[in-house]
Structure formats: structure tokens, C-alpha cells
Amino acid sequence: MTKNLFIILSICTLQLSCKNQDKSEELPQLNFLVIIADDAGWNDVGYNGSEINTPNIDSISEKGIRLNRFYVLPTCSPSRASLLTGIPASRFGIVAPISGRSELSLPDNVSTLPEVLKTNGYQTALFGKWHLGLKPESGPKAYGFDYSYGFLHGQIDQYTHKYKNGDQSWNRNGEFITEEGHTTDLIERETLDWLTDKRNKDKPFYIQLAYSAPHFPLQEEEYWKEPYRKTIQNSSRIDFAASMTHMDHSIGAVFGALKDLNLLENTVVIFISDNGAMENWFPKDQYNGKFGPNPVLGSNVPLRDWKSSNYEGALRVPAFIYWKNHLNPGIFKQYVSVIDIMPTILFLANNSNQINGIEGKNIWNQLTQPNEPSIRSIYLRGHLQECVIEKPWKLIRTRHKNAPANFELYNIENDPEEQNNVINNEPKVFQHLKATLELEFSKDANDVNLDIK
């Protein structure tokens, strides 16, 4: 069966779960801008109390709804796969970053968000990081993006735009290119150029704006670092803060372009980080030793642990949704998963059919009617741990090669820092969540990517 035929059949198979929700008025034809930061932790945005200046992120989020309990996967490739499919990435065997010269990519028989939007007349574009296939033939074009510009791999030198092993990565529409400039600036420039001149102005658009910032290697000019010289002592943290502020400035430029082009009132803007912050980076043979160690990178304070774990510091990230004059500003405290983005966007795009196998939930009613109850499980699998979350509980299982798995149970409403394992005090909760976790785990692919580099 060809992929296009599969998409057509799957769209016609089931009604979208959000179809049954009340539409008191037909939604206007909307554009979508999904912004993805790379390794930005909970305490790396100003509105969460960080010492890092992110005035544009703060301002836009203040006018929209801050998703206070937004959950992603422990690392980047799984989060991006889940966002684009509405399905846990572990179902495809993606539980860690796709790295090296891996042949792993999204399967070609799954319907993606840009593919489905195209059936609704949308034009689709990706600017920045892909990380779901390391070769042009498994790049953005193969999964529904009409236009793409940026890099295929998970990390790149910000100026040579090459992967850590020297592989080419920088491309436009699948053709490798060589350009001068910092990655953040080039991604911004191309996005603005596409919005202003290259897109078809008669069609709505979906843009995925996926920055490399603040992921290492950190290569920021003094202009971005100077404001932190007196407020941050550690030079590595200064570099990280500069990367965040540089990205924030770029987001402000793109947001300003939407305003100048009179697109704000019919554009939904979503911001997320792909996972929590990484503690440090000590490269050995990467980039031929070009970059020194980074003993301090991001901050997930007060949340526990770092990227790649299944604790809150890795999974709970800054996120917000903004639609001018259509959302009452505030803080949304219900639990949201990255797989919920796709069905929510499809609902807003007036898509009336379901993608076969989608597991995410349309959260629009909950966003616009905060008192509407939302009870559901969120399943998140990493390369060594997995967890299931049902408000207010979170059960984490840690697997070991030569020993039985162990479990931890936390009330993350009362104990968001995950300091008190209450597994012995809540046997019924433990047994219920354990059964749920084991059921979800059984649905995952048998062969998974465990190469976390």
C-alpha cells in the first residue's frame, strides 16, 4: 500500500475524537505556528523565575494560556515524533535521540500532522531542526512538509552547520547547502522570507519553527553574553543564557512579522521545549575537540533531574498557546501531553476526520472551559525508564539489565519535586497505575532505539 493511499484511507476510517465536541460557531480558517526550543528547562524562561531574559516569550505567554503541566518525552526525537503523529513515539520504537549514521526514522505508513493539514488545503513549512531521519530521503519532505530549511541531525556547529561527526546536515528542501551565519539568525531569516515572499498567500499555513537553541555547542557572540556578565558567575551558564536570549529575540522578530502582515488574529501560536534541560556537556571526540566542556547548562529548578530521565525536570517543560482575542489569558493547570497538539490543531483547522491510531486528545474545550473535567492517563517512555501520570499521581518504572525493575510513586501535586516516594502508602494506586503502565508498555514496538548519544 502506498503512503498516500494509506493516508487517504486512514483519514476516512474513523471520526476524530474532537468531532463530537460542540462547535457553537464555525472556526475561521486558521494558520498555525509551532515553536520548539531545544533543551530549554523549566527555569530557563523568565516567566518561571529564571535569571535569563526572555521578554518575548514572557510577553506572548502572558497574553495567552501558559500550559503549566505540559509533558513531553525525555529526549528530542521522541518528542518530535509524538508531536507530528499524535501517537507515543515508543509505538514506533523511538525512545531516544536518533544519532550517528542511524537508518532509523519515522515509519512511512503513519499519517503526520502536516500531511493531514495538506488534505485541508494547508501549505506546510519546517524551519530548523528535524531529527526524525538523518538523510534527505527521510527528511521533512517525506512526511508532509512542502518547504523545509535547516538541519537533519540533533546537534550542529552553529556556524559550520555540521553534525558532531562531520556529516553534512544543513539543507533547503532536501538539498545540502553551505551558508554563512549563526543557526538562530539563518532560521529566523528564512522564516521571515517565507512568510513575506515565498508562501502562497491564498492558503493557510502550518509552520514548525524548531530552533537549535539552547542546545550545545553554545557559540554566541559577545552581544548576547554581555548582559549576563554581572548577574551570572559561571561562564558556561552565561553562554547558555545568551543562547536563550538570542532565540527569544528571534521569536520576537517572527511574532512581529505576523503582526506586520496582519496575520496575528488568525494565527494560533504554540511554544514548547522538546525536553527539559541538560545538566552539562563534556565532549571528548566531538567536533575534533573544538569545543570545551560546559559544566553548567540549563536549569529545571525546582523540578527533579535532567534530560533523558523520567522525572519532572526532563518531562515537564515551559509551554503556552496564544490566539489573539480568542483565549482568556491565564494558567492552565490540567495535564497536557505533547501528543495532544495534533488533534487540537486538527480540530481548530476544521478537520472532521480522524487519523488512524491517534492517541492524543483535543484539549480545546478544556482550554476555553477550564472547569470542564479532564481525567486521563499520560504515558511517557524513555530509554531506561517509563512513567504513567494520572492526576495527581505519577508512577515511574526504572528498568535494569541484570536486576528487576523498581517503581516509584509520587503525588506530583503535593510533591512536584518528587522527593517523597509514597509507593508503600498507596498500594491501590500503585497496583492500578502499574497495570496501566504495563498495558501501555505492551503496545510499544518490540525493537526500540536505545542509542542515546
Side-chain angles (χ1 to χ4, degrees), residues 15-86:
Q15 290 185 327
L16 187 63
S17 60
C18 59
K19 182 180 179 182
N20 295 325
Q21 300 194 35
D22 177 36
K23 289 188 181 181
S24 57
E25 58 179 310
E26 189 72 8
L27 294 169
Q29 193 171 50
L30 294 174
N31 305 306
F32 299 96
L33 169 62
V34 176
I35 304 170
I36 308 173
D38 196 354
D39 285 10
W42 180 261
N43 193 40
D44 291 329
V45 294
Y47 74 76
N48 276 339
S50 178
E51 76 275 33
I52 298 176
N53 298 318
T54 55
N56 293 295
I57 290 173
D58 297 349
S59 175
I60 303 168
S61 69
E62 186 177 5
K63 298 170 186 174
I65 296 179
R66 292 174 181 170
L67 305 176
N68 190 53
R69 293 277 184 170
F70 187 84
Y71 287 94
V72 293
L73 281 301
T75 51
C76 39
S77 295
S79 290
R80 294 165 198 272
S82 297
L83 182 152
L84 283 179
T85 63

Side-chain angles (χ1 to χ4, degrees), residues 271-284:
F271 171 87
I272 69 170
S273 179
D274 62 349
N275 46 249
M278 193 164 178
E279 182 178 13
N280 49 45
W281 180 50
F282 296 100
K284 296 179 180 179

Side-chain angles (χ1 to χ4, degrees), residues 125-142:
L126 180 139
F127 302 98
K129 181 174 179 176
W130 173 238
H131 208 187
L132 290 174
L134 306 184
K135 298 180 179 180
E137 55 265 31
S138 57
K141 183 178 180 180

Side-chain angles (χ1 to χ4, degrees), residues 65 326-328 332 363-371:
I65 296 179
H326 287 82
L327 288 172
N328 293 323
F332 187 68
I363 64 167
W364 189 250
N365 272 9
Q366 283 72 38
L367 289 172
T368 55
Q369 302 170 39
N371 293 326

Side-chain angles (χ1 to χ4, degrees), residues 70-74 88 90-91 95 308-316 335-337 339 376-391 393-399 406-410 412 418 430 432-442 444:
F70 187 84
Y71 287 94
V72 293
L73 281 301
S90 51
R91 307 294 196 239
V95 297
S308 82
S309 79
N310 267 67
Y311 297 105
E312 294 286 276
L315 305 178
R316 183 180 168 192
Y335 295 10
V336 181
S337 169
I339 64 173
R376 47 88 61 95
S377 295
I378 295 176
Y379 171 66
L380 304 166
R381 179 176 175 182
H383 73 295
L384 292 175
Q385 294 178 306
E386 49 274 342
C387 66
V388 63
I389 302 171
E390 288 185 10
K391 186 179 182 180
W393 304 106
K394 177 180 177 184
L395 181 69
I396 303 172
R397 180 174 71 178
T398 304
R399 284 170 281 115
N406 62 281
F407 294 86
E408 300 164 74
L409 178 65
Y410 299 99
I412 52 176
E418 297 172 302
F430 168 56
H432 165 68
L433 292 181
K434 181 173 181 286
T436 301
L437 187 147
E438 290 174 345
L439 176 61
E440 293 294 338
F441 191 83
S442 71
D444 289 343

Side-chain angles (χ1 to χ4, degrees), residues 271-325:
F271 171 87
I272 69 170
S273 179
D274 62 349
N275 46 249
M278 193 164 178
E279 182 178 13
N280 49 45
W281 180 50
F282 296 100
K284 296 179 180 179
D285 54 355
Q286 298 183 28
Y287 304 103
N288 294 318
K290 179 179 178 181
F291 301 107
N294 288 110
V296 180
L297 290 172
S299 173
N300 298 318
V301 172
L303 305 179
R304 178 179 175 179
D305 224 307
W306 306 94
K307 170 183 175 179
S308 82
S309 79
N310 267 67
Y311 297 105
E312 294 286 276
L315 305 178
R316 183 180 168 192
V317 296
F320 64 77
I321 181 169
Y322 168 87
W323 181 14
K324 184 178 180 181
N325 298 327

Side-chain angles (χ1 to χ4, degrees), residues 182-200:
H182 191 283
T183 298
T184 299
D185 297 327
L186 293 178
I187 291 171
E188 174 193 325
R189 185 182 70 187
E190 192 80 5
T191 305
L192 297 178
D193 188 36
W194 188 87
L195 276 169
T196 304
D197 298 320
K198 292 184 177 180
R199 68 184 174 92
N200 182 342

